[in-house]
Amino acid sequence: MFSLLGVPPQVLFGQLLLGLINGSFYALLSLGLAVIFGMLNVINFAHGALYMVGAFVAWLLLTYAGVGYWGALVVAPVVVGLLGIVLEKTMLSRLYKLDHLYGLLLTFGLALILEGAFRHQYGVSGQPYPIPAALQGGQNLGFMFLPNYRAWVVVASLTVCFGTWFAIERTKLGAYLRAATENPTLVQAFGINVPVMVSLTYGFGVALAGLAGVLAAPIYQVSPLMGTNLIIIVFAVVVIGGMGSILGAIITGLGLGLLEGLTKVFYPEASNIVVFVVMAIVLLIKPAGLFGRER
Amino acid sequence: MSAASNSTSVAMRGPSRGSTMATTLIAAVLLLIAVAAPFVLYPVFLMKVLCFALFACAFNLLIGFAGLLSFGHAAFFGGAAYVTAHVVKEWGWAPEFGLLAATVVAAGLGLVFGLIAIRRQGIYFAMITLALSQMVFFLALQLPFTHGEDGIQGVPRGTLFGLFDLSQPLTMYYTVLAIFVAGFALIWRTVHSPFGQVLKAIRENEPRAVSLGYRTDRYKLVAFVLSASLAGLAGGTKALVFQLASLTDVTWQMSGEVVLMTLLGGMGTLFGPVVGAGLVVTLESYLASTSLPVPVVIGCIFVVCVLVFRRGIVGELLARLPRRGH
Amino acid sequence: MNAAPNDDIILEARNLTKEFKGFVAVKEVNLQVRRGTIHALIGPNGAGKSTVFNLLTKFLTPTRGQILYKGRDITRTKPADIALMGLVRSFQISAVFPHLSVLENVRVALQRPLGTSFHFWKSESSLYDLHGRAQELIEAVNLTPWANHTAAELPYGRKRALEIATTLALDPEVMLLDEPLAGMGHEDIEGTAALIKRVAADRTVLMVEHNLSVVAHLSDTITVLRRGEILAEGPYQVVSKNPQVMEAYMGTGGTGHA
Amino acid sequence: QVSDNVIRIGVLNDRSGIYADLAGEGSAVAARMAAEEFGNKVAGAAVEIVVADHQNKADIAASKAREWVDTGGVDAIADVPNSAAALAVQGITKEKKRIFLMSGPGATALSGAQCSPYGFQWTYDNYAMAAGTGRALYEQGKKKWFFVTADYAFGQSLEEETTKMVKSLGGTIVGSVRHPLGTADFSSFLLQAQGSGADVIGLANAGGDTVNAVKQAAEFGITQSGQSLAGLLMFISDVNALGLQSAQGLMLTTGFYWDMDDQTRDWSKKFEAKVGKKPTMVQAGVYSAVKHYLKAVEAAKTDDADKVAAKMRELPVEDMFAKKGKIAANGRMFHDMYLAQVKTPAESKGAWDYYKIVKTIPADTAFMDPKQSGCALVK
Amino acid sequence: MPDGMQTKTARTGTAMLEIADLHGFYGESHVLHGVSLEVRQGEVVTLLGRNGAGKTSTMRAVMGIMGKRTGSIRFQGTELIGMAQHKIPRLGIGYVPEERGIFSSLSVDENLTLPPVVKEGGMTVPQIHDLFPNLKGRGSTQGTRLSGGEQQMLAIARILRTGATLILLDEPTEGLAPVIIEQIGVAVRALKARGFTIVLVEQNFRFAATIADRHYVMEEGHVVDMIPNDQLQANMDKLHTYLGV
Ligand SMILES: Nc1ncnc2c1ncn2[C@@H]1O[C@H](COP(=O)(O)OP(=O)(O)OP(=O)(O)O)[C@@H](O)[C@H]1O
Ligand SMILES: Nc1ncnc2c1ncn2[C@@H]1O[C@H](COP(=O)(O)OP(=O)(O)OP(=O)(O)O)[C@@H](O)[C@H]1O
Ligand SMILES: [Mg+2]
Ligand SMILES: [Mg+2]
């Protein structure tokens, strides 16, 4: 049997597949981040926390309301989205006229509050969330055992990613949003209700995080800290992809998932750093990111 | 151009020249208080405040006077703490060389960060520094000399210049105070130097500064390295005070904390970061004995500061003082 | 145009071309700016004036062609460096340091030649020597009463004046002005035009401007661009009679700027 | 004879971060329960429990400990999970002569190179967890190991201790993989482990990493395929968080389980009434250590650290947590440990019915021989 | 001149826009001090005045994009003060701001089609290309990459598409070459002929004189004079004093 750098090809395929699965999480999260950044110019530091909230809402629904996975898949993003809209209306909206850095700082504070509150309430060890019955078990692909749930995650997040991309890049909506980022007053003067649109966009962006949270719940522990470290990696993904670029976020998310998967095989110790290394290299060569536009 | 002016409005104006006298007076009074403080307050606590105050001042040099928000300053602070702890404990260096090593390493790290990050501004800059510092965190976690989650423990304080036995709390305290004062003085000087003027100009309108013939990247880089070095000095000092270096100081949460200190005290004011550091450290030590969840309280302060209190405490005070000059 | 003696030409563009993704904005432009003159660049909208201007000030890189400054090739030189060589530009939108005082605005430019700009250990008072010169420049643009105001407080026209003072502080040999009068009211236009005339006495000025009466009044040479190419060149009296120019730029007359 | 006529015990631990569930407020409750058994009074002095949150920061732990000792009249500090914090506190208590009752930290250095005459490591240590599990599983016939190790000092030492034990018994290590701290996705590592043909996959990590690894191992059907999963540092709070569905079949070592005998059940019930959860071994250890300390104070009739420490070493440890426990010269409290296997959902009869105790690991094989600990106090 | 523009039923004479005693504020600063003016259906009216007289502010007040306003602004009888900002344009008011407001993140075509069509009878894209040939074939260029003058054309063009019946043009000739200015003059007259009502701010009153019916002169936040176009020559001296020429 031939092998690649000492790794049999089957194993390599398996690892690539796993990388793709991880990448689809990155893509979904960085997509939300990119939507919010691209449209509102806000770096949503609370994104990881809202991802966590999404997972928790799913868990709470299951535990206290008997609403299962499929229900949560709809309800949790809506709840997170509404929470996002409230946050946007009451706080973020006051900051648009100021330097963008204040948005970052505000959401940083919000992330601390959300995570701290859940930690205080539910402890840090996390809560179990079962894989829905319909998706239990897996397929033996020969080179690996692929749990059905993971396959579903890839399909679901890619569908959502490309759907979002289409809606934003290929419809008038995207043009409104981009224009509103630049000059909300003028867009308003064209007869478009910008504040509502902006709130909805933020709500949608964080709803994507909430959705990722629900998707993650059965794989990872539903824990208050689940978003904390992830968010930094997702930041790096967005920077590499080019901030605000929707397609960049999706493609980079997937690409880095794969790259990370490979690193886990060949040099696992570096699997967390590899993203940052790539980031540094990309920035040196292309300061605006792979798909970013110099502003 | 609107982008340029956008990304600069974070920084507030420093005190006008008219108030320099007042500032000197305040500084003298504060210094007197600081000299007397260890007889009233707990010296270790005071030293911690001073270390963080220097850290915050160094950070403020960047955000307040160059308009650059670094979200990765923990890398310099915590990284330097490891350096001091290691060279003093394992290599037996004298404390002054330990601190020097910390400063130099932080400066080097700052140079590397700077070369990568300085080409972008605003939030881009913040995110890049954040990611880079995360890399330093993983290195600190994985490199053998840092001893993982145990950290470097039992660092000897040693004898400064072969003369002052730092294991005496008061000697240590006055050493820390001296380091702080020196660092603060350097920042003060920098802000009010020809270099500081150019920095302000760049913050205000970068393309214009370029057209006047300033290679703005270099100025920003120097400011960044300066800030990183001082943050490193603060970190090294902290390692001596607590006789340990641990992962806490390299986490991104620490980077966030220094932002909070500066924001709370007042960005772009000289004394703001000092006040902010004092408050945050006091708060943390107070909260340690209550049942309130610390992150929630800190988060709330963050949100309140950003929403209604952007000038910070010192900034608000300055704004309320009767304006003079002109 | 006759080839002038070479040392008379301070700034020269040879076969300057700029393409944007297949769209040729500037095509084979040959431009010679003579030392000590005011040279205006006019032309219909989209003719490529700003692009030429940006190429000359290095804010854009040419696709082809060469730029010579005092005989030296500066095609690849960085913007900050050409400023050091005495080629200074202004911006179309006013470019001041809003939160610095008028005096400090000018001083920032004055301090550069001191060579102490990286000296973070030096006191600001080392710059006080420059105040005399700064006051002179401020006086020259009639800003003395405003000297201690922050630039943000100035009305638009004053900001333009301040910008010119700051530019003059560098004692540039060549000043490049991009629509210096745009957006100014009548009362400011005259003042500023006079100011340009005054400061141009011992230096070279290249400007892009739509206000024809000012151009006519100020400039020694006018280059008319159209669709990226030079259409005509010469003094106002000559150029303005050129039928092609009339057709492409001036129109039938009567509605141009006052 | 008791300074300021109060015996003040400071419970210093993580009350909001990653160790809050296994220590946190529960440890403070356990300490109070111990004090109450003495009527909150020993040697004529009142017993007072104070608590503080070190937020997992060694410097906060150090400054709080110093402050307690210098200005707060604290005689003993208890718990302190997070070994960086514990090592810092050990330094202070050693210098200031205060008793340090460690239940939370696992670093072997605390009763090794960094030992202190006043420091007592009570509940477990990383050696006991690793080597104990290694030996016990070997004796169950599981001889080929694969490690999934957190790539920093702690994880590496867990791996190293287990490896030494397994090899010394004649077992083999078929491979290992190092993952960075805070890895969310373990599937890639688990796949490598699965392909290695090992009998046991040893998880040389802790907290969230272990929990995620176990959960994903279940997803990929690892335990069903015949491999065993061993958590080298797991607490009942982790198992509770995972749920039996994911955790079933997992092997681990513990110093305490609530459902061992009437005494433990009785105490744990009282504890649960106050906290709402069954105690972890760390919390039970805090109770035992504080109780033993108070007993020693009572016997020594003083709070003088030297005398109390001597008494503590002299008296046997005898309570619901430890039967016939004794304290070695290096400060290590020797007591029996247990190899436990997590029940299947079907086996479990109700809430918190999680473990089957597979084997008792006798105290002298559970812990490292003090002579090898590197502690200077051991002659 | 573009053909095919639908003729509106022009009922010249009825009041289109009535502003009475309008006060406007930017935060603390009070910039409009009782502006009163009236624009009738089908008219072209200019606002003249020095820099800072409040011309732009008056337009912004109409569009509702100014901090606080008091007084009355009526559009075809409907009071605009107090109305939600985004509803005002939907009544049929189009605004071309002085800074042009071309979006850099949008292509030329996207910029052009951005404002929603609010009424029937707006120009079609081919008609717009006839009016401003410079925009032809540049559809995919990034909006702000256009030259200054082209951006001005684009800013006007996109409002013509919406079918707004009242168009507010803030300094439409700024930065334009004389030929283009002429062309815009032609366009404005054409629009007028089609029944559009136009208010424009101009510094260039020579240009204004060629197209306007009446001129309002503003000074320090209120209207100080109104000069019908046919009396402009007679009032030249007065105007010169107002404008400080
Ligand atoms: N970055 C760019 N990408 C694509 N096209 C560009 C770019 N910059 C300029 N152009 C095009 O090049 C042509 C010349 O533009 P330029 O800005 O130089 O014109 P101009 O003569 O200054 O006109 P105006 O008087 O209107 O400012 C225009 O058609 C413009 O659309
Ligand atoms: N956003 C703002 N905040 C505060 N004051 C403003 C603002 N915009 C305009 N002003 C002030 O309001 C007054 C009127 O300004 P406005 O822009 O309406 O004048 P204008 O007549 O349009 O002048 P110009 O010919 O320069 O365009 C001026 O004094 C100006 O400084
Ligand atoms: Mg131009
Ligand atoms: Mg205006």
Side-chain angles (χ1 to χ4, degrees):
Chain A
M1 189 206 307
F2 83 101
S3 67
L4 233 152
L5 295 171
V7 181
Q10 294 96 317
V11 174
L12 205 60
F13 284 137
Q15 298 293 357
L16 286 176
L17 189 57
L18 290 174
L20 188 68
I21 295 168
N22 262 327
S24 59
F25 268 109
Y26 290 159
L28 200 54
L29 283 171
S30 45
L31 172 67
L33 217 51
V35 168
I36 294 173
F37 178 75
M39 309 307 150
L40 279 70
N41 261 330
V42 167
I43 287 289
N44 189 28
F45 222 111
H47 214 67
L50 289 161
Y51 158 80
M52 176 274 292
V53 173
F56 256 101
V57 170
W59 177 78
L60 289 169
L61 284 171
L62 183 71
T63 315
Y64 296 107
V67 178
Y69 180 83
W70 301 107
L73 210 50
V74 178
V75 178
V78 171
V79 171
V80 174
L82 288 176
L83 175 64
I85 289 175
V86 171
L87 295 179
E88 198 279 338
K89 276 260 171 273
T90 54
M91 300 181 187
L92 265 179
S93 59
R94 297 152 175 258
L95 301 178
Y96 296 140
K97 289 200 190 75
L98 305 169
D99 193 286
H100 306 327
L101 293 173
Y102 286 114
L104 174 93
L105 296 179
L106 178 83
T107 49
F108 179 76
L110 290 175
L112 288 179
I113 296 176
L114 283 173
E115 277 172 2
F118 274 87
R119 204 148 87 171
H120 193 63
Q121 192 60 35
Y122 298 103
V124 288
S125 321
Q127 310 291 342
Y129 193 92
I131 293 176
L135 293 173
Q136 268 166 9
Q139 310 299 322
N140 198 335
L141 303 181
F143 55 90
M144 73 175 285
F145 174 85
L146 177 67
N148 289 339
Y149 187 75
R150 299 245 172 178
W152 151 250
V153 166
V154 179
V155 173
S157 43
L158 289 187
T159 312
V160 172
C161 282
F162 285 101
T164 307
W165 171 73
F166 187 82
I168 289 184
E169 296 289 330
R170 291 283 171 265
T171 66
K172 202 68 174 285
L173 179 69
Y176 285 151
L177 287 169
R178 275 176 284 145
T181 324
E182 263 183 65
N183 190 345
T185 323
L186 185 57
V187 176
Q188 183 103 332
F190 288 156
I192 294 155
N193 194 345
V194 173
V196 166
M197 194 174 74
V198 166
S199 299
L200 289 177
T201 309
Y202 187 76
F204 176 72
V206 302
L208 286 176
L211 176 69
V214 183
L215 287 175
I219 302 186
Y220 309 126
Q221 196 68 349
V222 178
S223 122
L225 303 176
M226 64 194 288
T228 315
N229 290 322
L230 191 58
I231 187 67
I232 310 247
I233 298 187
V234 174
F235 275 169
V237 170
V238 178
V239 171
I240 297 170
M243 294 226 254
S245 160
I246 307 288
L247 197 60
I250 299 174
I251 293 179
T252 316
L254 292 172
L256 285 177
L258 287 176
L259 188 67
E260 200 187 84
L262 287 181
T263 321
K264 279 180 176 166
V265 183
F266 293 109
Y267 191 57
E269 289 87 341
S271 57
N272 269 9
I273 300 190
V274 66
V275 175
F276 303 115
V277 175
V278 172
M279 187 195 78
I281 296 171
V282 168
L283 288 175
L284 280 175
I285 299 167
K286 230 177 158 256
L290 292 177
F291 297 82
R293 248 205 300 250
E294 281 282 2
R295 294 205 183 181
Chain B
M1 206 136 314
S2 76
S5 53
N6 259 343
S7 67
T8 56
S9 57
V10 135
M12 304 219 325
R13 271 178 278 172
S16 76
R17 224 187 340 275
S19 62
T20 310
M21 272 294 286
T23 321
T24 320
L25 207 71
I26 296 171
V29 172
L30 288 180
L31 190 62
L32 270 180
I33 295 175
V35 170
F39 298 100
V40 186
L41 287 166
Y42 190 52
V44 178
F45 170 77
L46 291 173
M47 288 190 271
K48 185 171 179 185
V49 170
L50 287 175
C51 291
F52 277 106
L54 180 57
F55 182 27
C57 286
F59 172 79
N60 183 47
L61 176 63
L62 212 52
I63 175 88
F65 300 100
L68 294 170
L69 172 65
S70 156
F71 225 98
H73 253 47
F76 311 126
F77 184 69
Y82 276 116
V83 171
T84 302
H86 186 74
V87 300
V88 169
K89 186 181 178 196
E90 304 294 329
W91 298 350
W93 288 19
E96 61 273 19
F97 292 112
L99 292 177
L100 190 65
T103 314
V104 170
V105 170
L109 206 55
L111 188 66
V112 175
F113 273 39
L115 286 174
I116 297 175
I118 225 85
R119 305 161 77 190
R120 306 310 314 266
Q121 283 148 16
I123 16 187
Y124 299 81
F125 183 80
M127 310 255 300
I128 294 162
T129 46
L130 172 61
L132 289 172
S133 79
Q134 200 59 10
M135 236 161 108
V136 172
F137 170 78
F138 280 109
L139 284 177
L141 182 67
Q142 279 163 290
L143 289 178
F145 88 95
T146 58
H147 300 282
E149 79 158 3
D150 294 352
I152 304 181
Q153 298 275 350
V155 178
R157 283 179 178 173
T159 317
L160 189 72
F161 302 126
L163 291 174
F164 306 106
D165 178 9
L166 294 184
S167 57
Q168 297 306 114
L170 278 185
T171 319
M172 186 75 221
Y173 175 77
Y174 287 116
T175 308
V176 175
L177 183 61
I179 292 173
F180 169 78
V181 169
F184 187 81
L186 179 65
I187 289 170
W188 186 333
R189 170 46 70 241
T190 305
V191 169
H192 295 110
S193 71
F195 175 74
Q197 279 293 307
V198 179
L199 220 49
K200 264 186 239 169
I202 293 173
R203 181 190 75 191
E204 297 273 305
N205 189 340
E206 190 168 344
R208 180 55 172 159
V210 171
S211 80
L212 291 182
Y214 290 109
R215 298 183 182 95
T216 53
D217 279 2
R218 297 197 195 171
Y219 289 85
K220 289 195 276 181
L221 189 59
V222 170
F224 194 80
V225 172
L226 212 55
S227 170
S229 321
L230 287 170
L233 180 62
T237 312
K238 189 183 166 218
L240 284 184
V241 171
F242 286 96
Q243 303 185 269
L244 62 89
S246 69
L247 281 176
T248 328
D249 292 344
V250 262
T251 55
W252 60 265
Q253 284 89 347
M254 178 56 72
S255 299
E257 209 157 284
V258 75
V259 180
L260 176 64
M261 291 171 183
T262 313
L263 187 65
L264 183 62
M267 283 182 199
T269 62
L270 277 164
F271 291 109
V274 183
V275 175
L279 274 178
V280 171
V281 172
T282 312
L283 192 72
E284 271 183 0
S285 94
Y286 167 75
L287 287 176
S289 335
T290 67
S291 58
L292 287 172
V294 183
V296 176
V297 177
I298 300 275
C300 288
I301 297 176
F302 237 109
V303 169
V304 170
C305 275
V306 172
L307 285 180
V308 297
F309 203 51
R310 277 181 289 273
R311 282 191 282 222
I313 293 168
V314 173
E316 283 302 329
L317 284 178
L318 284 178
R320 282 188 197 176
L321 282 178
R323 276 178 63 98
R324 39 162 105 211
H326 303 327
Chain C
M1 202 181 88
N2 294 333
N6 229 358
D7 60 339
D8 213 24
I9 305 296
I10 189 157
L11 184 63
E12 180 174 7
R14 291 187 185 155
N15 302 329
L16 205 57
T17 301
K18 179 73 187 174
E19 294 172 8
F20 296 107
K21 295 201 184 114
F23 177 82
V24 186
V26 174
K27 207 183 294 173
E28 302 285 326
V29 164
N30 287 296
L31 187 71
Q32 294 183 321
V33 181
R34 265 178 300 129
R35 193 186 291 274
T37 59
I38 299 184
H39 193 130
L41 210 51
I42 65 169
N45 299 106
K49 304 180 295 295
S50 298
T51 309
V52 167
F53 193 85
N54 284 327
L55 289 169
L56 291 176
T57 53
K58 320 306 314 201
F59 278 68
L60 284 176
T61 346
T63 315
R64 273 188 303 283
Q66 222 185 1
I67 302 165
L68 299 177
Y69 173 61
K70 293 202 269 185
R72 274 177 63 189
D73 188 335
I74 58 161
T75 317
R76 308 270 153 215
T77 316
K78 292 220 178 71
D81 295 330
I82 66 151
L84 295 175
M85 297 162 71
L87 196 64
V88 182
R89 72 168 293 179
S90 76
F91 287 82
Q92 188 159 356
I93 306 149
S94 86
V96 293
F97 303 114
H99 293 129
L100 299 187
S101 72
V102 167
L103 184 79
E104 284 168 326
N105 261 278
V106 177
R107 202 180 62 189
V108 165
L110 282 175
Q111 81 173 77
R112 206 203 62 213
L114 290 184
T116 60
S117 295
F118 278 107
H119 293 192
F120 54 80
W121 54 89
K122 260 219 177 79
S123 165
E124 189 180 2
S125 57
S126 67
L127 299 175
Y128 292 173
D129 291 348
L130 302 173
H131 286 189
R133 176 77 187 123
Q135 295 288 8
E136 278 172 40
L137 288 162
I138 291 169
E139 178 69 52
V141 295
N142 295 328
L143 278 179
T144 308
W146 306 86
N148 288 319
H149 284 67
T150 51
E153 297 170 42
L154 300 184
Y156 188 76
R158 306 276 127 209
K159 281 187 191 157
R160 295 308 296 233
L162 172 57
E163 203 190 328
I164 292 176
T166 311
T167 309
L168 285 176
L170 295 178
D171 198 14
E173 295 197 58
V174 181
M175 276 173 80
L176 299 146
L177 307 174
D178 193 0
E179 304 204 20
L181 306 176
M184 266 188 206
H186 298 271
E187 66 277 20
D188 287 327
I189 288 184
E190 271 171 43
T192 315
L195 178 63
I196 295 173
K197 184 90 191 162
R198 211 157 2 114
V199 304
D202 47 359
R203 39 179 63 84
T204 314
V205 173
L206 174 69
M207 64 178 189
V208 172
E209 184 51 60
H210 275 301
N211 191 325
L212 268 188
S213 64
V214 173
V215 169
H217 170 66
L218 285 181
S219 49
D220 302 303
T221 312
I222 296 176
T223 300
V224 187
L225 283 177
R226 185 186 56 179
R227 286 189 227 117
E229 290 174 292
I230 293 184
L231 181 68
E233 194 166 65
Y236 181 76
Q237 294 78 355
V238 178
V239 168
S240 60
K241 307 247 157 49
N242 181 326
Q244 273 181 301
V245 174
M246 301 213 358
E247 190 223 314
Y249 185 66
M250 313 231 179
T252 50
T255 55
H257 272 278
Chain D
Q1 288 246 311
V2 169
S3 62
D4 71 4
N5 223 11
V6 187
I7 297 291
R8 210 171 269 118
I9 302 169
V11 178
L12 181 59
N13 62 16
D14 175 14
R15 301 168 67 80
S16 52
I18 52 172
Y19 300 118
D21 287 342
L22 65 90
E25 173 63 13
S27 291
V29 168
R32 277 188 214 111
M33 286 170 74
E36 273 157 25
E37 289 185 15
F38 290 83
N40 288 324
K41 222 167 177 63
V42 284
V47 179
E48 196 186 310
I49 308 286
V50 292
V51 294
D53 184 355
H54 66 38
Q55 297 158 40
N56 276 322
K57 296 181 181 172
D59 55 340
I60 292 192
S63 38
K64 200 77 218 176
R66 252 181 222 280
E67 194 189 312
W68 269 352
V69 172
D70 287 346
T71 63
V74 164
D75 299 288
I77 295 176
D79 205 5
V80 196
N82 181 322
S83 36
L87 285 161
V89 174
Q90 175 95 318
I92 290 160
T93 49
K94 193 167 163 183
E95 176 195 329
K96 305 271 181 181
K97 299 196 176 179
R98 291 295 189 284
I99 301 296
F100 185 20
L101 307 164
M102 295 167 267
S103 187
T108 43
L110 290 164
S111 53
Q114 305 284 327
C115 68
S116 142
Y118 313 105
F120 301 93
Q121 199 168 19
W122 211 261
T123 307
Y124 73 102
D125 58 39
N126 295 345
Y127 174 88
M129 300 298 271
T133 313
R135 175 192 290 274
L137 282 173
Y138 183 87
E139 287 167 3
Q140 303 259 305
K142 313 222 177 243
K143 299 180 180 170
K144 286 195 280 180
W145 281 68
F146 185 98
F147 289 102
V148 175
T149 305
D151 189 28
Y152 63 108
F154 156 78
Q156 288 157 12
S157 85
L158 275 187
E159 179 185 335
E160 203 182 315
E161 298 292 356
T162 318
T163 303
K164 258 194 265 171
M165 178 58 72
V166 171
K167 282 195 173 155
S168 74
L169 295 169
T172 51
I173 310 298
V174 295
S176 83
V177 58
R178 301 247 160 119
H179 69 82
L181 179 70
T183 294
D185 191 72
F186 281 87
S187 49
S188 169
F189 306 124
L190 291 168
L191 222 61
Q192 294 176 45
Q194 203 169 24
S196 70
D199 299 327
V200 189
I201 301 173
L203 302 176
N205 47 23
D209 284 345
T210 313
V211 166
N212 273 330
V214 171
K215 187 158 180 160
Q216 290 162 30
E219 192 193 351
F220 280 81
I222 291 209
T223 31
Q224 283 93 313
S225 72
Q227 280 176 318
S228 293
L229 209 57
L232 296 178
L233 183 66
M234 278 198 84
F235 300 89
I236 197 165
S237 50
D238 296 327
V239 174
N240 181 53
L242 272 163
L244 292 183
Q245 189 62 41
S246 303
Q248 56 182 305
L250 185 75
M251 312 290 290
L252 56 90
T253 296
T254 184
F256 173 84
Y257 179 49
W258 67 271
D259 194 13
M260 307 252 292
D261 54 37
D262 289 342
Q263 266 183 303
T264 57
R265 278 188 286 272
D266 193 40
W267 187 82
S268 302
K269 200 167 150 195
K270 275 191 255 165
F271 179 90
E272 192 180 6
K274 291 177 203 266
V275 180
K277 296 174 193 165
K278 293 289 186 204
T280 63
M281 67 165 155
V282 169
Q283 291 157 344
V286 168
Y287 161 82
S288 169
V290 169
K291 188 169 170 182
H292 188 72
Y293 168 72
L294 292 175
K295 223 190 281 178
V297 173
E298 188 97 287
K301 305 236 172 319
T302 173
D303 60 355
D304 179 85
D306 285 301
K307 293 191 184 125
V308 174
K311 262 284 177 276
M312 284 178 75
R313 286 190 161 81
E314 191 182 306
L315 295 171
V317 184
E318 186 65 57
D319 54 30
M320 67 94 200
F321 174 83
K323 318 279 160 9
K324 293 199 256 321
K326 59 176 197 303
I327 297 168
N330 61 349
R332 171 74 254 167
M333 200 277 274
F334 276 71
H335 60 98
D336 292 350
M337 300 285 288
Y338 312 94
L339 180 71
Q341 181 166 29
V342 178
K343 291 182 172 176
T344 63
E347 287 167 327
S348 170
K349 286 194 282 292
W352 296 95
D353 181 16
Y354 292 156
Y355 291 171
K356 280 184 292 210
I357 300 298
V358 181
K359 195 175 178 315
T360 298
I361 308 170
D364 48 344
T365 60
F367 295 100
M368 190 189 281
D369 181 352
K371 288 199 194 69
Q372 264 136 47
S373 68
C375 172
L377 297 170
V378 187
K379 311 256 153 44
Chain E
M1 195 200 354
D3 300 316
M5 239 195 313
Q6 287 167 26
T7 310
K8 299 212 173 240
T9 41
R11 290 178 294 121
T12 313
T14 48
M16 192 80 166
L17 181 70
E18 296 157 284
I19 300 180
D21 193 30
L22 172 67
H23 288 258
F25 305 80
Y26 289 109
E28 294 292 292
S29 67
H30 186 171
V31 297
L32 296 180
H33 303 265
V35 177
S36 298
L37 54 84
E38 194 189 86
V39 182
R40 288 186 293 273
Q41 165 97 44
E43 254 190 328
V44 174
V45 167
T46 65
L47 300 182
L48 301 175
R50 300 185 188 213
N51 283 133
K55 308 179 294 290
T56 300
S57 303
T58 304
M59 292 201 161
R60 292 174 64 89
V62 172
M63 299 312 295
I65 49 180
M66 182 184 219
K68 204 179 109 198
R69 303 163 295 165
T70 62
S72 156
I73 305 173
R74 287 172 168 277
F75 174 70
Q76 293 179 325
T78 316
E79 179 58 58
L80 300 186
I81 289 181
M83 182 179 279
Q85 279 177 27
H86 66 278
K87 296 215 171 110
I88 295 174
R90 298 195 173 263
L91 299 173
I93 309 180
Y95 174 52
V96 180
E98 73 185 320
E99 70 281 11
R100 295 168 190 159
I102 299 302
F103 298 100
S104 72
S105 51
L106 270 54
S107 69
V108 170
D109 274 349
E110 284 173 319
N111 266 291
L112 189 58
T113 54
L114 187 77
V117 170
V118 293
K119 286 246 167 84
E120 304 226 317
M123 289 170 77
T124 61
V125 173
Q127 286 170 348
I128 285 172
H129 282 161
D130 284 348
L131 185 61
F132 299 118
N134 281 40
L135 299 181
K136 221 181 207 157
R138 304 302 301 276
S140 60
T141 309
Q142 185 187 338
T144 46
R145 292 266 158 91
L146 290 183
S147 81
E150 290 164 346
Q151 290 186 33
Q152 182 67 60
M153 299 175 202
L154 180 56
I156 299 174
R158 70 179 164 195
I159 291 304
L160 298 181
R161 234 194 95 253
T162 64
T165 44
L166 171 65
I167 296 176
L168 310 179
L169 287 172
D170 199 347
E171 307 208 16
T173 63
E174 192 204 309
L176 292 189
V179 261
I180 309 280
I181 295 181
E182 264 178 26
Q183 210 174 331
I184 291 198
V186 171
V188 168
R189 279 190 293 272
L191 293 171
K192 179 183 156 142
R194 305 286 159 187
F196 286 92
T197 311
I198 293 167
V199 179
L200 85 169
V201 168
E202 251 320 317
Q203 297 273 359
N204 181 347
F205 65 82
R206 300 232 174 119
F207 168 70
T210 62
I211 50 170
D213 299 315
R214 291 184 297 130
H215 308 275
Y216 281 100
V217 184
M218 290 190 72
E219 220 165 59
E220 288 172 358
H222 58 275
V223 173
V224 289
D225 208 345
M226 193 280 283
I227 307 173
N229 200 42
D230 46 20
Q231 288 163 35
L232 196 59
Q233 264 349 82
N235 286 293
M236 222 40 168
D237 285 348
K238 206 161 71 172
L239 194 59
H240 279 242
T241 348
Y242 284 137
L243 301 181
V245 183

